[in-house]
Amino acid sequence: MHQSVIVSPSLLSANFGNLEADVQMLNQSRADWLHLDIMDGVFVPNISFGIPVVKAIRKYSEKPLDTHLMIVQPERYIHAFKEAGSDLLTVHWEACTHLHRTIMQIKEEGMLAGVSLNPHTPISGLEDIINDVDLVLIMSVNPGFGGQKFIPRSLHRIAELRDMVDRNNSEALIEVDGGVSRDNIQQIIDAGADAVVAGNAVFRSEDPAAEIAFMKSL
Ligand code: DX5
Ligand code: ZN
């Protein structure tokens, strides 16, 4: 059975001067989710946007908000992101001392819980949490900026994670974030991804909705 990949356009590459227009465009498109990159200038070198902006996007978005926290101590903000309208909340493995507790707290708030891995973090570190998470977000660039080049080694990491998910009968979805484009998306899907994030590939395209439709057609 062939199921099309979940496409989650990243608003980091959208027009911050008129976010409503881009969110409406995505409402009309075949995008499945909206990917929101939250950066604190500590966990990653960049600062993006925060809770009030998520709230504003929630007002216009008809799609689930896939929220990627690139912040230290993300457990402090779980409730705030729920209130702001997040549907899926992903925290970084490297930022959580008590990852299991944080995942449970996200679920208790009624959100889907994701964990993200930086490119150097061993996939094997997920073995004891793979049956508790709803999603694993594999970073295929070093987090912090849109428009970076896909790290090729990520394909092996996706395949290794696919094997772990299947072996454990886990229902976790595998999402891939960073440098996804027309040139590599088929390989990413073949390696075992269920979902892809796309920033520049969508928003720097002449026709963003058509680019999303192309990804959905694979
Ligand atoms: C990077 C972010 C990504 C980024 C992806 O830190 O997590 O979501 O917006 O952008 P592209 O698709 O342009 O690499
Ligand atoms: Zn992201």
Side-chain angles (χ1 to χ4, degrees), residues 10 12 35 37 39 68 70 139 143-148 177-179 197-200:
S10 167
L12 193 62
H35 187 81
D37 288 300
M39 305 179 182
H68 176 193
M70 284 160 276
M139 290 311 301
F145 303 94
Q148 302 183 79
D177 186 7
V197 175
N200 268 23

Side-chain angles (χ1 to χ4, degrees), residues 30-175:
R30 291 183 63 196
D32 297 280
W33 301 339
L34 249 69
H35 187 81
L36 304 181
D37 288 300
I38 313 298
M39 305 179 182
D40 66 354
V42 179
F43 183 73
V44 288
N46 199 6
I47 299 176
S48 56
F49 53 84
I51 292 156
V53 177
V54 176
K55 240 181 223 162
I57 292 167
R58 175 75 286 167
K59 260 196 272 168
Y60 301 111
S61 177
E62 292 163 11
K63 315 265 176 169
L65 302 184
D66 162 23
T67 313
H68 176 193
L69 299 186
M70 284 160 276
I71 65 176
V72 298
Q73 299 184 312
E75 64 280 358
R76 294 190 298 157
Y77 296 101
I78 294 170
H79 183 67
F81 279 99
K82 171 64 184 179
E83 293 270 281
S86 292
D87 298 281
L88 162 62
L89 198 64
T90 296
V91 295
H92 263 265
W93 192 93
E94 303 83 5
C96 294
T97 310
H98 301 286
L99 179 60
H100 183 269
R101 177 185 292 147
T102 302
I103 293 296
M104 292 304 142
Q105 286 171 345
I106 295 171
K107 289 178 158 184
E108 277 160 24
E109 287 280 359
M111 294 179 283
L112 295 174
V115 60
S116 182
L117 254 50
N118 281 337
H120 74 282
T121 303
I123 298 289
S124 57
L126 291 173
E127 192 87 45
D128 294 318
I129 196 107
I130 200 66
N131 290 97
D132 297 305
V133 295
D134 298 301
L135 178 138
V136 178
L137 180 65
I138 295 284
M139 290 311 301
S140 40
V141 298
N142 287 296
F145 303 94
Q148 302 183 79
K149 211 172 145 324
F150 183 86
I151 299 172
R153 175 76 206 170
S154 309
L155 290 173
H156 297 280
R157 293 169 55 75
I158 298 161
E160 186 182 343
L161 178 59
R162 177 82 268 157
D163 179 62
M164 181 191 291
V165 166
D166 294 348
R167 210 166 7 89
N168 286 281
N169 293 318
S170 161
E171 287 177 7
L173 294 171
I174 300 175
E175 186 176 27

Side-chain angles (χ1 to χ4, degrees), residues 7 181-182 201-202 205-216:
V7 176
S181 74
R182 273 184 184 246
V202 166
S205 135
E206 302 246 303
D207 186 346
E211 200 60 28
I212 294 165
F214 166 75
M215 292 178 172
K216 294 295 292 178

